[in-house]
Amino acid sequence: MSGKHYKGPEVSCCIKYFIFGFNVIFWFLGIAFLGIGLWAWNEKGVLSNISSITDLGGFDPVWLFLVVGGVMFILGFAGCIGALRENTFLLKFFSVFLGIIFFLELTAGVLAFVFKDWIKDQLYFFINNNIRAYRDDIDLQNLIDFTQEYWQCCGAFGADDWNLNIYFNCTDSNASRERCGVPFSCCTKDPAEDVINTQCGYDARQKPEVDQQVVIYTKGCVPQFEKWLQDNLTIVAGIFIGIALLQIFGICLAQNLVSDIEAVRASW
């Protein structure tokens, strides 16, 4: 015996544990997102009354946490267990699932560019639909307030869009104190004020348009969002390209590991 041994193909430990470690983070993030979503639903009583999901007239932001958390959990689980146990089925599932998400993102980007006007109309419809349900869900209310404060806007195309809400509309039959007003998130901010005045939007739309501009934002959120995209196009494009490259990198690593595992098993 010469003491020499045949050295066959080996599974790359570097790739294996890199995929494992990377997906552990995604797995725990997925659990965190799901936990936040379920906690929010529990606080609103949805878990004790599932039919209340359909009661909302607008978009429930909790769905974002549940969907994103569910996808991250599934991907993280498949990637973690697949890499650790050298399970080619889970690794292939991970890479295919990631590839489908990448393809959907690419398709959505192309369609958004081609059908810009349609997207704009849908965004207008989406915002107005949520304006109607503003008081129906605290999470939706917080989302709208954050949007209007961040982009310094009011309504979809203007403050008068708040006529769609039963509390803020200007009809004579409306007995609400908020009649002909807007939410506080529409108000222009005074840097000297430390405490938010939640009544700053009362009767704001009863004033002449020139006076309104001093008290509230008169630009709509749809044009303000378009302006924000144009001003931050480089950053937005960089983020999307970074996410895409990360997904391609994950797919390549998973496929590489699958090839190594299959080569090792074939040499047995």
Side-chain angles (χ1 to χ4, degrees), residues 128-149:
N128 281 342
N129 193 41
N130 289 321
I131 284 175
R132 292 186 183 92
Y134 178 73
R135 294 295 190 199
D136 297 342
D137 183 81
I138 188 64
D139 294 323
L140 174 63
Q141 184 174 315
N142 290 334
L143 178 63
I144 293 175
D145 286 335
F146 170 79
T147 301
Q148 294 189 143
E149 286 181 312

PDB file of all heavy atoms in Angstrom, residues 128-149:
ATOM      1  N   ASN A 128     -57.484  56.884  -2.421  1.00  0.00           N
ATOM      2  CA  ASN A 128     -58.848  57.341  -2.127  1.00  0.00           C
ATOM      3  C   ASN A 128     -59.665  56.274  -1.409  1.00  0.00           C
ATOM      4  O   ASN A 128     -60.487  56.589  -0.539  1.00  0.00           O
ATOM      5  CB  ASN A 128     -59.559  57.762  -3.418  1.00  0.00           C
ATOM      6  CG  ASN A 128     -59.129  59.148  -3.867  1.00  0.00           C
ATOM      7  OD1 ASN A 128     -58.579  59.911  -3.092  1.00  0.00           O
ATOM      8  ND2 ASN A 128     -59.389  59.465  -5.121  1.00  0.00           N
ATOM      9  N   ASN A 129     -59.452  55.025  -1.767  1.00  0.00           N
ATOM     10  CA  ASN A 129     -60.150  53.930  -1.099  1.00  0.00           C
ATOM     11  C   ASN A 129     -59.757  53.861   0.373  1.00  0.00           C
ATOM     12  O   ASN A 129     -60.586  53.587   1.247  1.00  0.00           O
ATOM     13  CB  ASN A 129     -59.836  52.608  -1.801  1.00  0.00           C
ATOM     14  CG  ASN A 129     -60.767  51.495  -1.349  1.00  0.00           C
ATOM     15  OD1 ASN A 129     -61.962  51.704  -1.182  1.00  0.00           O
ATOM     16  ND2 ASN A 129     -60.226  50.310  -1.143  1.00  0.00           N
ATOM     17  N   ASN A 130     -58.481  54.142   0.650  1.00  0.00           N
ATOM     18  CA  ASN A 130     -58.000  54.130   2.033  1.00  0.00           C
ATOM     19  C   ASN A 130     -58.422  55.383   2.789  1.00  0.00           C
ATOM     20  O   ASN A 130     -58.559  55.351   4.017  1.00  0.00           O
ATOM     21  CB  ASN A 130     -56.476  53.970   2.057  1.00  0.00           C
ATOM     22  CG  ASN A 130     -56.038  52.580   1.647  1.00  0.00           C
ATOM     23  OD1 ASN A 130     -56.676  51.602   2.014  1.00  0.00           O
ATOM     24  ND2 ASN A 130     -54.981  52.477   0.871  1.00  0.00           N
ATOM     25  N   ILE A 131     -58.600  56.490   2.070  1.00  0.00           N
ATOM     26  CA  ILE A 131     -59.112  57.702   2.714  1.00  0.00           C
ATOM     27  C   ILE A 131     -60.511  57.441   3.280  1.00  0.00           C
ATOM     28  O   ILE A 131     -60.846  57.863   4.387  1.00  0.00           O
ATOM     29  CB  ILE A 131     -59.127  58.870   1.707  1.00  0.00           C
ATOM     30  CG1 ILE A 131     -57.699  59.396   1.495  1.00  0.00           C
ATOM     31  CG2 ILE A 131     -60.043  59.998   2.182  1.00  0.00           C
ATOM     32  CD1 ILE A 131     -57.588  60.470   0.445  1.00  0.00           C
ATOM     33  N   ARG A 132     -61.327  56.718   2.511  1.00  0.00           N
ATOM     34  CA  ARG A 132     -62.676  56.378   2.979  1.00  0.00           C
ATOM     35  C   ARG A 132     -62.641  55.580   4.283  1.00  0.00           C
ATOM     36  O   ARG A 132     -63.510  55.719   5.140  1.00  0.00           O
ATOM     37  CB  ARG A 132     -63.419  55.565   1.914  1.00  0.00           C
ATOM     38  CG  ARG A 132     -63.754  56.329   0.649  1.00  0.00           C
ATOM     39  CD  ARG A 132     -64.623  55.478  -0.270  1.00  0.00           C
ATOM     40  NE  ARG A 132     -64.908  56.157  -1.522  1.00  0.00           N
ATOM     41  CZ  ARG A 132     -64.172  56.026  -2.620  1.00  0.00           C
ATOM     42  NH1 ARG A 132     -63.106  55.227  -2.622  1.00  0.00           N
ATOM     43  NH2 ARG A 132     -64.486  56.683  -3.718  1.00  0.00           N
ATOM     44  N   ALA A 133     -61.627  54.720   4.430  1.00  0.00           N
ATOM     45  CA  ALA A 133     -61.543  53.829   5.592  1.00  0.00           C
ATOM     46  C   ALA A 133     -60.566  54.345   6.643  1.00  0.00           C
ATOM     47  O   ALA A 133     -60.137  53.589   7.518  1.00  0.00           O
ATOM     48  CB  ALA A 133     -61.104  52.435   5.122  1.00  0.00           C
ATOM     49  N   TYR A 134     -60.248  55.628   6.590  1.00  0.00           N
ATOM     50  CA  TYR A 134     -59.214  56.212   7.456  1.00  0.00           C
ATOM     51  C   TYR A 134     -59.452  55.943   8.940  1.00  0.00           C
ATOM     52  O   TYR A 134     -58.529  55.627   9.677  1.00  0.00           O
ATOM     53  CB  TYR A 134     -59.136  57.721   7.187  1.00  0.00           C
ATOM     54  CG  TYR A 134     -58.142  58.469   8.046  1.00  0.00           C
ATOM     55  CD1 TYR A 134     -56.777  58.358   7.832  1.00  0.00           C
ATOM     56  CD2 TYR A 134     -58.585  59.309   9.079  1.00  0.00           C
ATOM     57  CE1 TYR A 134     -55.867  59.067   8.604  1.00  0.00           C
ATOM     58  CE2 TYR A 134     -57.683  60.022   9.863  1.00  0.00           C
ATOM     59  CZ  TYR A 134     -56.326  59.897   9.617  1.00  0.00           C
ATOM     60  OH  TYR A 134     -55.424  60.604  10.390  1.00  0.00           O
ATOM     61  N   ARG A 135     -60.678  56.080   9.381  1.00  0.00           N
ATOM     62  CA  ARG A 135     -60.986  55.890  10.807  1.00  0.00           C
ATOM     63  C   ARG A 135     -61.313  54.442  11.173  1.00  0.00           C
ATOM     64  O   ARG A 135     -61.579  54.148  12.340  1.00  0.00           O
ATOM     65  CB  ARG A 135     -62.175  56.771  11.206  1.00  0.00           C
ATOM     66  CG  ARG A 135     -61.927  58.272  11.143  1.00  0.00           C
ATOM     67  CD  ARG A 135     -60.898  58.724  12.134  1.00  0.00           C
ATOM     68  NE  ARG A 135     -60.844  60.190  12.230  1.00  0.00           N
ATOM     69  CZ  ARG A 135     -59.826  60.853  12.725  1.00  0.00           C
ATOM     70  NH1 ARG A 135     -58.777  60.201  13.164  1.00  0.00           N
ATOM     71  NH2 ARG A 135     -59.848  62.175  12.787  1.00  0.00           N
ATOM     72  N   ASP A 136     -61.298  53.557  10.212  1.00  0.00           N
ATOM     73  CA  ASP A 136     -61.721  52.175  10.464  1.00  0.00           C
ATOM     74  C   ASP A 136     -60.628  51.292  11.049  1.00  0.00           C
ATOM     75  O   ASP A 136     -60.920  50.250  11.635  1.00  0.00           O
ATOM     76  CB  ASP A 136     -62.236  51.526   9.168  1.00  0.00           C
ATOM     77  CG  ASP A 136     -63.459  52.237   8.636  1.00  0.00           C
ATOM     78  OD1 ASP A 136     -64.092  52.973   9.417  1.00  0.00           O
ATOM     79  OD2 ASP A 136     -63.778  52.078   7.441  1.00  0.00           O
ATOM     80  N   ASP A 137     -59.368  51.675  10.846  1.00  0.00           N
ATOM     81  CA  ASP A 137     -58.272  50.815  11.286  1.00  0.00           C
ATOM     82  C   ASP A 137     -57.092  51.687  11.696  1.00  0.00           C
ATOM     83  O   ASP A 137     -56.639  52.541  10.931  1.00  0.00           O
ATOM     84  CB  ASP A 137     -57.861  49.870  10.158  1.00  0.00           C
ATOM     85  CG  ASP A 137     -56.768  48.904  10.586  1.00  0.00           C
ATOM     86  OD1 ASP A 137     -57.079  47.890  11.218  1.00  0.00           O
ATOM     87  OD2 ASP A 137     -55.600  49.188  10.293  1.00  0.00           O
ATOM     88  N   ILE A 138     -56.586  51.484  12.914  1.00  0.00           N
ATOM     89  CA  ILE A 138     -55.521  52.336  13.453  1.00  0.00           C
ATOM     90  C   ILE A 138     -54.218  52.195  12.663  1.00  0.00           C
ATOM     91  O   ILE A 138     -53.482  53.170  12.480  1.00  0.00           O
ATOM     92  CB  ILE A 138     -55.290  52.025  14.960  1.00  0.00           C
ATOM     93  CG1 ILE A 138     -54.314  53.037  15.574  1.00  0.00           C
ATOM     94  CG2 ILE A 138     -54.805  50.616  15.135  1.00  0.00           C
ATOM     95  CD1 ILE A 138     -54.808  54.462  15.582  1.00  0.00           C
ATOM     96  N   ASP A 139     -53.939  50.987  12.161  1.00  0.00           N
ATOM     97  CA  ASP A 139     -52.714  50.791  11.383  1.00  0.00           C
ATOM     98  C   ASP A 139     -52.793  51.524  10.051  1.00  0.00           C
ATOM     99  O   ASP A 139     -51.812  52.130   9.603  1.00  0.00           O
ATOM    100  CB  ASP A 139     -52.462  49.300  11.140  1.00  0.00           C
ATOM    101  CG  ASP A 139     -52.153  48.563  12.432  1.00  0.00           C
ATOM    102  OD1 ASP A 139     -51.471  49.152  13.283  1.00  0.00           O
ATOM    103  OD2 ASP A 139     -52.594  47.417  12.594  1.00  0.00           O
ATOM    104  N   LEU A 140     -53.952  51.457   9.413  1.00  0.00           N
ATOM    105  CA  LEU A 140     -54.156  52.179   8.160  1.00  0.00           C
ATOM    106  C   LEU A 140     -54.054  53.684   8.397  1.00  0.00           C
ATOM    107  O   LEU A 140     -53.451  54.417   7.607  1.00  0.00           O
ATOM    108  CB  LEU A 140     -55.530  51.829   7.583  1.00  0.00           C
ATOM    109  CG  LEU A 140     -55.970  52.604   6.332  1.00  0.00           C
ATOM    110  CD1 LEU A 140     -55.026  52.324   5.173  1.00  0.00           C
ATOM    111  CD2 LEU A 140     -57.395  52.245   5.957  1.00  0.00           C
ATOM    112  N   GLN A 141     -54.621  54.136   9.492  1.00  0.00           N
ATOM    113  CA  GLN A 141     -54.573  55.555   9.841  1.00  0.00           C
ATOM    114  C   GLN A 141     -53.128  56.017  10.027  1.00  0.00           C
ATOM    115  O   GLN A 141     -52.730  57.075   9.510  1.00  0.00           O
ATOM    116  CB  GLN A 141     -55.371  55.777  11.123  1.00  0.00           C
ATOM    117  CG  GLN A 141     -55.498  57.223  11.551  1.00  0.00           C
ATOM    118  CD  GLN A 141     -56.419  57.372  12.748  1.00  0.00           C
ATOM    119  OE1 GLN A 141     -57.495  56.790  12.793  1.00  0.00           O
ATOM    120  NE2 GLN A 141     -55.991  58.153  13.724  1.00  0.00           N
ATOM    121  N   ASN A 142     -52.339  55.236  10.737  1.00  0.00           N
ATOM    122  CA  ASN A 142     -50.929  55.578  10.952  1.00  0.00           C
ATOM    123  C   ASN A 142     -50.151  55.590   9.647  1.00  0.00           C
ATOM    124  O   ASN A 142     -49.256  56.425   9.447  1.00  0.00           O
ATOM    125  CB  ASN A 142     -50.287  54.590  11.932  1.00  0.00           C
ATOM    126  CG  ASN A 142     -50.796  54.760  13.347  1.00  0.00           C
ATOM    127  OD1 ASN A 142     -51.242  55.848  13.731  1.00  0.00           O
ATOM    128  ND2 ASN A 142     -50.741  53.707  14.141  1.00  0.00           N
ATOM    129  N   LEU A 143     -50.471  54.653   8.737  1.00  0.00           N
ATOM    130  CA  LEU A 143     -49.797  54.590   7.444  1.00  0.00           C
ATOM    131  C   LEU A 143     -50.089  55.835   6.610  1.00  0.00           C
ATOM    132  O   LEU A 143     -49.172  56.431   6.017  1.00  0.00           O
ATOM    133  CB  LEU A 143     -50.230  53.338   6.683  1.00  0.00           C
ATOM    134  CG  LEU A 143     -49.644  53.155   5.278  1.00  0.00           C
ATOM    135  CD1 LEU A 143     -48.123  52.998   5.341  1.00  0.00           C
ATOM    136  CD2 LEU A 143     -50.269  51.948   4.574  1.00  0.00           C
ATOM    137  N   ILE A 144     -51.349  56.249   6.571  1.00  0.00           N
ATOM    138  CA  ILE A 144     -51.734  57.444   5.812  1.00  0.00           C
ATOM    139  C   ILE A 144     -51.093  58.691   6.419  1.00  0.00           C
ATOM    140  O   ILE A 144     -50.574  59.556   5.706  1.00  0.00           O
ATOM    141  CB  ILE A 144     -53.263  57.587   5.755  1.00  0.00           C
ATOM    142  CG1 ILE A 144     -53.871  56.453   4.926  1.00  0.00           C
ATOM    143  CG2 ILE A 144     -53.667  58.937   5.170  1.00  0.00           C
ATOM    144  CD1 ILE A 144     -55.382  56.442   4.919  1.00  0.00           C
ATOM    145  N   ASP A 145     -51.110  58.778   7.746  1.00  0.00           N
ATOM    146  CA  ASP A 145     -50.501  59.935   8.413  1.00  0.00           C
ATOM    147  C   ASP A 145     -49.002  60.009   8.132  1.00  0.00           C
ATOM    148  O   ASP A 145     -48.463  61.090   7.866  1.00  0.00           O
ATOM    149  CB  ASP A 145     -50.755  59.864   9.919  1.00  0.00           C
ATOM    150  CG  ASP A 145     -52.192  60.201  10.282  1.00  0.00           C
ATOM    151  OD1 ASP A 145     -52.835  60.915   9.497  1.00  0.00           O
ATOM    152  OD2 ASP A 145     -52.661  59.746  11.338  1.00  0.00           O
ATOM    153  N   PHE A 146     -48.341  58.871   8.186  1.00  0.00           N
ATOM    154  CA  PHE A 146     -46.898  58.847   7.895  1.00  0.00           C
ATOM    155  C   PHE A 146     -46.633  59.293   6.457  1.00  0.00           C
ATOM    156  O   PHE A 146     -45.717  60.086   6.202  1.00  0.00           O
ATOM    157  CB  PHE A 146     -46.339  57.441   8.118  1.00  0.00           C
ATOM    158  CG  PHE A 146     -44.921  57.276   7.624  1.00  0.00           C
ATOM    159  CD1 PHE A 146     -43.850  57.748   8.371  1.00  0.00           C
ATOM    160  CD2 PHE A 146     -44.665  56.670   6.398  1.00  0.00           C
ATOM    161  CE1 PHE A 146     -42.544  57.619   7.906  1.00  0.00           C
ATOM    162  CE2 PHE A 146     -43.375  56.535   5.932  1.00  0.00           C
ATOM    163  CZ  PHE A 146     -42.302  57.000   6.686  1.00  0.00           C
ATOM    164  N   THR A 147     -47.446  58.777   5.518  1.00  0.00           N
ATOM    165  CA  THR A 147     -47.273  59.124   4.105  1.00  0.00           C
ATOM    166  C   THR A 147     -47.449  60.621   3.872  1.00  0.00           C
ATOM    167  O   THR A 147     -46.650  61.258   3.183  1.00  0.00           O
ATOM    168  CB  THR A 147     -48.285  58.341   3.239  1.00  0.00           C
ATOM    169  OG1 THR A 147     -48.085  56.936   3.420  1.00  0.00           O
ATOM    170  CG2 THR A 147     -48.109  58.677   1.757  1.00  0.00           C
ATOM    171  N   GLN A 148     -48.501  61.190   4.449  1.00  0.00           N
ATOM    172  CA  GLN A 148     -48.780  62.608   4.236  1.00  0.00           C
ATOM    173  C   GLN A 148     -47.728  63.495   4.896  1.00  0.00           C
ATOM    174  O   GLN A 148     -47.353  64.538   4.343  1.00  0.00           O
ATOM    175  CB  GLN A 148     -50.183  62.951   4.744  1.00  0.00           C
ATOM    176  CG  GLN A 148     -51.281  62.271   3.935  1.00  0.00           C
ATOM    177  CD  GLN A 148     -52.679  62.768   4.279  1.00  0.00           C
ATOM    178  OE1 GLN A 148     -53.540  62.889   3.420  1.00  0.00           O
ATOM    179  NE2 GLN A 148     -52.929  63.027   5.554  1.00  0.00           N
ATOM    180  N   GLU A 149     -47.240  63.071   6.052  1.00  0.00           N
ATOM    181  CA  GLU A 149     -46.198  63.848   6.724  1.00  0.00           C
ATOM    182  C   GLU A 149     -44.868  63.755   5.986  1.00  0.00           C
ATOM    183  O   GLU A 149     -44.171  64.758   5.804  1.00  0.00           O
ATOM    184  CB  GLU A 149     -46.030  63.368   8.165  1.00  0.00           C
ATOM    185  CG  GLU A 149     -47.147  63.793   9.098  1.00  0.00           C
ATOM    186  CD  GLU A 149     -46.932  63.308  10.522  1.00  0.00           C
ATOM    187  OE1 GLU A 149     -46.617  62.119  10.712  1.00  0.00           O
ATOM    188  OE2 GLU A 149     -47.090  64.123  11.445  1.00  0.00           O
TER     189      GLU A 149
END
